[in-house]
Amino acid sequence: MKFFKKSVAVLLTLAMVIGIFAAVGVNSSAAEPGLWVGGVEMNDGDYLANGATATTTTEPSGGYAYFKDGVLTLNNYEYEGAGVTQINSIGSTWHMLICHNTIPLTLNLKGDNKLIFVPDSEENTDCYAVDSYSNIDNDSNLTVEGDGKLSSTNASFVLNSYSSDITVNGGIIEGDIWTDNKNFTMNGGYVTGNIHANHNLI
């Protein structure tokens, strides 16, 4: 009888632990938007102040990034660091100061926004200021709008895309833009650097 009671207690404890892990898994996957700004993951309705390492739901007094309904607003936002690290199957490493990989994103520029890449080691020096990529073809398109400016220091490209379209409708992009397999369309705005488009340049 004691063995039976102990067995039931162990099974109940195990069931509770599994239930907790399952609940955590559901919550984290449901909340994940696939967007990182300055190395910090952002969810819908989040603000990220200049220099902050955690988000808030209250608008900061200084410069900030704000994510809502698929639009990332940069309002005099400044970031200096290595961002998010990506390592591919052969071990090559690169960095993304702003990264989105599962959702289409609109980048709304307000004021003067600066992204400065600081390598975390001598070997890892490749960086994209805003990187748009997806495992599902054409799933993470990037659109730029607004009347502000985006510049980056030490980044290979200010806007970069491997498998998604880039469209510039407004704003000033100071630096180079790269689209590897998709379209680059410019309806407005201004680009001071080179545009590398391996598909269609519209």
Side-chain angles (χ1 to χ4, degrees), residues 78-131:
E78 295 185 6
Y79 171 74
E80 186 172 346
V84 173
T85 303
Q86 181 75 21
I87 303 174
N88 64 16
S89 58
I90 62 172
S92 297
T93 303
W94 68 96
H95 298 265
M96 297 150 285
L97 306 185
I98 295 176
C99 165
H100 68 106
N101 65 355
T102 61
I103 55 169
L105 183 71
T106 296
L107 193 61
N108 180 25
L109 301 178
K110 295 183 177 182
D112 188 3
N113 304 281
K114 300 175 183 178
L115 304 174
I116 301 170
F117 173 54
V118 180
D120 56 5
S121 76
E122 291 300 321
E123 297 177 358
N124 303 331
T125 57
D126 203 8
C127 172
Y128 305 120
V130 180
D131 197 15

Side-chain angles (χ1 to χ4, degrees), residues 54-75:
T55 59
T56 178
T57 55
T58 305
E59 182 178 333
S61 57
Y64 61 82
Y66 174 63
F67 179 57
K68 183 68 176 176
D69 296 330
V71 178
L72 176 64
T73 298
L74 300 182
N75 187 354

Side-chain angles (χ1 to χ4, degrees), residues 126-181:
D126 203 8
C127 172
Y128 305 120
V130 180
D131 197 15
S132 167
Y133 70 97
S134 67
N135 295 322
I136 302 172
D137 190 35
N138 215 31
D139 187 50
S140 300
N141 294 337
L142 175 64
T143 301
V144 181
E145 62 184 25
D147 56 5
K149 181 173 69 173
L150 177 64
S151 61
S152 184
T153 304
N154 301 329
S156 306
F157 298 98
V158 177
L159 303 181
N160 181 72
S161 172
Y162 283 109
S163 57
S164 306
D165 293 345
I166 295 178
T167 301
V168 175
N169 293 327
I172 300 171
I173 309 298
E174 291 193 342
D176 295 346
I177 297 174
W178 173 272
T179 57
D180 194 18
N181 297 309

Side-chain angles (χ1 to χ4, degrees), residues 176-191:
D176 295 346
I177 297 174
W178 173 272
T179 57
D180 194 18
N181 297 309
K182 287 297 174 181
N183 304 319
F184 176 81
T185 304
M186 193 162 181
N187 298 315
Y190 189 74
V191 176

